[in-house]
Amino acid sequence: FVAGSSWQPDEEIFLKYFNNHRDWKLIVAPHVIGEDHLKFIFSLIKDKKVVRYTQATEDNVADADVLIIDCFGLLSSVYHYGDVAYVGGGFGVGIHNVLEAAVWGMPVLFGPNNKHFAEAQGLLQSGGGIEIEDYETFSLIMSQLSDDSAYYDTCGQEAGAFVQSLAGATKKGSTIECECPHCHSTMEVTLPLVSEGQQYTPQAEGIPDPPQKKDGDHNTILWGIVIGLLLLAIGIGAYV
């Protein structure tokens, strides 16, 4: 589970949930990375091993449950490693960039303040985005995504297809430009999901047969992520 650009109201919701669900690994890339806010995040996490990205080693990450991204510039790459994404800001001035997460073809959750953000509205309509209103709705959605692999797969497929439709992309490597609603900077997102000739068409009401969800050795997942991000940070641009 990757939470990006999270604020305090977001963290109070999803960290409460994950304190009671030990079967998930969690990556948190908060919007504010000052020491006071990082201490607040640590205070919300109960009975889990937490490691900060800037202090990560192979030994301390091997059995970690939570990885905190305490530096800037990695968020769009961090989403690559997720099964479910959460985009913060929806309980404050407005959500951050949902396309950075959706481009990787996973369900994208966010709070209710999303009405003035066209990408978020389109993602909701496609079925790839899911609005949560409070802890109760977050818990219900997460349980459904965990227990119903067909629903999980459908949401992810629609998220990826929605991003493809924005670009009118027909081949791998196409890019789109999107603007952060907060800092107004423009960034390019490369589409890794498009097959030749594929176009976005909403799926029918029926849900497809359940797929196999991603799996891996939970004792090595977070360390693999750290290595991949370090390679990216020094310019190699490789993923694990």
Side-chain angles (χ1 to χ4, degrees), residues 93-187:
V93 296
I95 60 171
H96 291 263
N97 195 318
V98 297
L99 299 182
E100 289 180 303
V103 71
W104 296 107
M106 72 182 79
V108 182
L109 282 58
F110 42 80
N113 191 357
N114 58 70
K115 305 303 184 293
H116 300 295
F117 302 92
E119 292 90 350
Q121 289 295 295
L123 196 59
L124 285 172
Q125 293 171 11
S126 75
I130 305 169
E131 178 180 306
I132 60 131
E133 298 178 354
D134 48 29
Y135 173 78
E136 285 72 24
T137 56
F138 179 85
S139 181
L140 286 172
I141 291 299
M142 287 301 300
S143 294
Q144 188 173 3
L145 290 170
S146 298
D147 298 338
D148 188 342
S149 57
Y151 174 66
Y152 166 85
D153 188 60
T154 299
C155 292
Q157 289 176 354
E158 293 294 359
F162 172 71
V163 179
Q164 296 162 16
S165 74
L166 293 181
T170 58
K171 59 183 178 181
K172 189 172 183 178
S174 298
T175 61
I176 62 174
E177 288 188 351
C178 50
E179 180 181 289
C180 173
H182 298 275
C183 67
H184 301 293
S185 61
T186 300
M187 65 174 295

Side-chain angles (χ1 to χ4, degrees), residues 183-235:
C183 67
H184 301 293
S185 61
T186 300
M187 65 174 295
E188 285 190 346
V189 175
T190 301
L191 302 182
L193 305 168
V194 186
S195 300
E196 189 72 29
Q198 184 177 359
Q199 297 292 335
Y200 173 67
T201 53
Q203 295 193 3
E205 293 297 325
I207 297 177
D209 293 334
Q212 295 295 319
K213 293 179 69 174
K214 299 182 208 175
D215 197 6
D217 182 351
H218 282 183
N219 290 327
T220 61
I221 288 174
L222 292 185
W223 177 240
I225 291 169
V226 170
I227 293 297
L229 293 176
L230 285 173
L231 292 172
L232 182 69
I234 65 176

Side-chain angles (χ1 to χ4, degrees), residues 65-112:
D65 301 300
V66 184
L67 178 66
I68 305 294
I69 307 298
D70 55 348
C71 57
F72 292 118
L74 296 177
L75 178 55
S76 60
S77 301
V78 169
Y79 284 125
H80 167 71
Y81 299 98
D83 291 307
V84 177
Y86 181 96
V87 178
F91 291 93
V93 296
I95 60 171
H96 291 263
N97 195 318
V98 297
L99 299 182
E100 289 180 303
V103 71
W104 296 107
M106 72 182 79
V108 182
L109 282 58
F110 42 80

